[in-house]
Amino acid sequence: MSLVRSDIGRLLQYKLCLLRFKELGVNTIFSYNLGEAAGVTAVQVRKDFSVYGIKGRKRGGYNIDTLLIELNNIFGNSRKNIVVVGIGNIGKAIIQYNERFVKKNLHIVAGFDIDPSKQNKSYGVPIYPVEKISEVIKNNNVSTAIIAVPFQVAQELCNILISAGIKGILNFAPIILKVPDEIIVDNINLSNKLEGIIYNINL
Amino acid sequence: MSLVRSDIGRLLQYKLCLLRFKELGVNTIFSYNLGEAAGVTAVQVRKDFSVYGIKGRKRGGYNIDTLLIELNNIFGNSRKNIVVVGIGNIGKAIIQYNERFVKKNLHIVAGFDIDPSKQNKSYGVPIYPVEKISEVIKNNNVSTAIIAVPFQVAQELCNILISAGIKGILNFAPIILKVPDEIIVDNINLSNKLEGIIYNINL
DNA sequence: TTTTTATTGTATTTATTTTCACAAAAAATT
DNA sequence: AATTTTTTGTGAAAATAAATACAATAAAAA
């Protein structure tokens, strides 16, 4: 299993900050300003750009439109289809979040649940029985799935997703999924996040 | 702003895995088994334990009950009260998750929202207007808050929370919050998580 | 009892990430 | 036109994290 590199997380944060600056009518930015907004040092910003071959102008800072083009070259801006497995509290919330993902060209195209009563309801995205996972993923060119099911069934659904061709998983189930090396997994364990914060408070 | 150390995240994962093993009736575990379950190497497990002075028995592995006691000594097991600010999609999902947090002695004691219609509804946790933040936090000995509001108002609410005595924040708003050094913040940006996974898939 | 085997515990090495230091460039000032 | 100031860009150093290697120990087998 591969993990998501930390500099990639920073570049995505820069992209987000730059879009906000652009909306405010800013054209040019210094590493110091971007670092301030992104919560990192100015050197970290310049080093990150340096690694990816992104150039500014000495004493002139960086042009925001140019940076956004460079970042789009790195991340691509083609449409990405996503599915959500498990329409409980978290799964439902994520599906209802879809309109914001769409702005980044991330499209939740389907949800899956074993509960037939969930399958009737529309949250703006069609909900299918889990038996349809393979079919829907293949027909919609879906590369990425969000798992939001109880941990007891998470591995089983993970296996089904990978058989169906899923390459990346955002996993909310509190369990470490066993996947082949080439599959990307990122875990969000809310209890552990909270416990980690509380540990650091009391340090 | 302090970040949550990565070895702490691993220790919490070990704790979770150990609880599951215990439920299955396992008494003793080897670093290899725990590493397998937690998604890390056996050496990493032993090294982590070594750093925190946790001892096993040569060739005998680790006693699970002993490990859990040691881990509880590190993390404490006193009751921790938490509030959620913003009862939108994510905030509502988290509140409805409360019963699972309670098992870890994490208690969501209140939610806050500006929308009065949200304040009537009960999701198992009382919802107050944001004007009550300071009062509720002080009366309930709350150390930790979850921010799930639109990014445009996140910093403002963050400031209110800190004035009210909050020491740690789990932030779902897609913005880097400015806080004093002693305040602990952990960010979850769902779009960035997904974009990071997709970047790594196409690498 | 002695030897072999399995496992922990940790010092050392290697790899990765971040910070420091400063030269190079360009704009602003004198 | 020369000087000063500001900011980028990056090699080198420092800090942090992870992997390797192996001694120490205790259980199991001979």
Side-chain angles (χ1 to χ4, degrees), chain A residues 30-31 46-47 50 55-56 58-59 62:
Chain A
F30 297 128
S31 58
R46 297 203 300 277
K47 190 80 180 190
S50 169
K55 300 277 180 187
K58 294 239 164 94
R59 202 182 165 138
Y62 299 84

